[in-house]
Every structure is written in structure tokens, then in C-alpha cells.
Amino acid sequence: MWVGSSGALGALPAAALAASVPVGAADDVPVTVRLTVNDVAQEARVDVRTSLLDYLRENLRLTGTKKGCDHGQCGACTVHVNGRRVNSCLSLVAMHEGDSITTIEGLGTPDRLHPLQAAFVAHDGLQCGYCTSGQIMSAAALLTEPCGRTDADVKEAMSGNICRCGAYSNIVAAIRQVRDAG
Ligand code: FES
Ligand code: FES
């Protein structure tokens, strides 16, 4: 609810208002974090509130990782941290001192696709492509997780990754191909 000058805040003295909305708080102080991104050592000097997602996209220009919801609901921002998948929009880069981060740019290259990238192409597992890097990063993590062999198991393990184009059946087929080959 918006509270205007005639509402509850309007009755507060100016000094109390200033105290309730700190300006230039300690949060504005940059922090230094050393981490590895796609096997390259990085030293990040960032606002302590910077998400891992924004650091990757805005500081390092690794824009393969996508911002969908920015609330941990769509999976478009999925990366690997020390080999495990995380939603980078929900993680502060300041928390990753010493960590190893892998993004879609570190998984394969246009000349040397990761098997999952090739399988997504072969099975037409993408339409607009916006969710695709997150889907592939989740799928790559799934290959190392104790996931059952059925399509239902794969769908459950991939349920944190939303595709607004509805490419789900082709995504599952791509993952199945890579798992069966492995
Ligand atoms: S952008 Fe991170 S889960 Fe949607
Ligand atoms: S391919 Fe368009 S959102 Fe998944």
C-alpha cells in the first residue's frame, strides 16, 4: 500500500524518516572476490549486492546465461558452481570466493559442441532459444546426478527449467540420447 504525505509516514518528523531510509549505507562499499569462470581466474570488485548472474552478464559480458524471472523460478540463469547447478540470479557473487563457475560459454564452443548442445540441435530442442542455455546447463548437471532412467525422472529433474515455447518433449529426447550414449 502506498502511503502519501497524509498517511502514516506523513506524521513522522523528518529526522525519523531519514533514519528509516539509510542513504550511502555500508552495503554500497565494493568487495573483492577471487573466483574462476570457465577456467579463467577473475578478480571481481563489485557492489556486495551484485548477483552472480549480473556479474557474469554485465561485468564479464558472458551473455549466454539469461535473465528470465530474476526470482529463481524459470531456470534461464542456471550455471554450475563447483560442478553443481545453481540459479545464478539467487546467488551473490560475493559468496563465491575461491569457487569455480562454468557457464554455457565454458561447456562447448561453436566448433566443438558439448554432446548436449549437439543433441539439442539434432532434436530441435529449442525454438526461440531463450531458455536453452539454462536447460543445457541443468541437463549437463543432471548427467552427474543420481537421476532415474525414465523420462518421468528426467522431467522431474528438469522441472526447474521453464520453456515458454514448449520444446519439452524434444529437450527430453536430446537428454535421453546423451544419457543412452554415455
Ligand atoms: S532468472 Fe534465475 S531462475 Fe529465472
Ligand atoms: S525455446 Fe523459447 S523459451 Fe524455451
Side-chain angles (χ1 to χ4, degrees), residues 53 66-77 87-89:
L53 172 60
K66 296 295 186 284
K67 181 183 286 192
C69 63
D70 212 18
H71 283 84
Q73 296 172 341
C74 73
C77 65
N87 288 340
S88 58
C89 70

Side-chain angles (χ1 to χ4, degrees), residues 124-132 135 162-168 171:
D124 202 15
L126 60 149
Q127 291 178 36
C128 78
Y130 200 83
C131 73
T132 308
Q135 299 276 4
I162 307 300
C163 176
R164 64 184 173 185
C165 295
Y168 293 114
I171 291 170

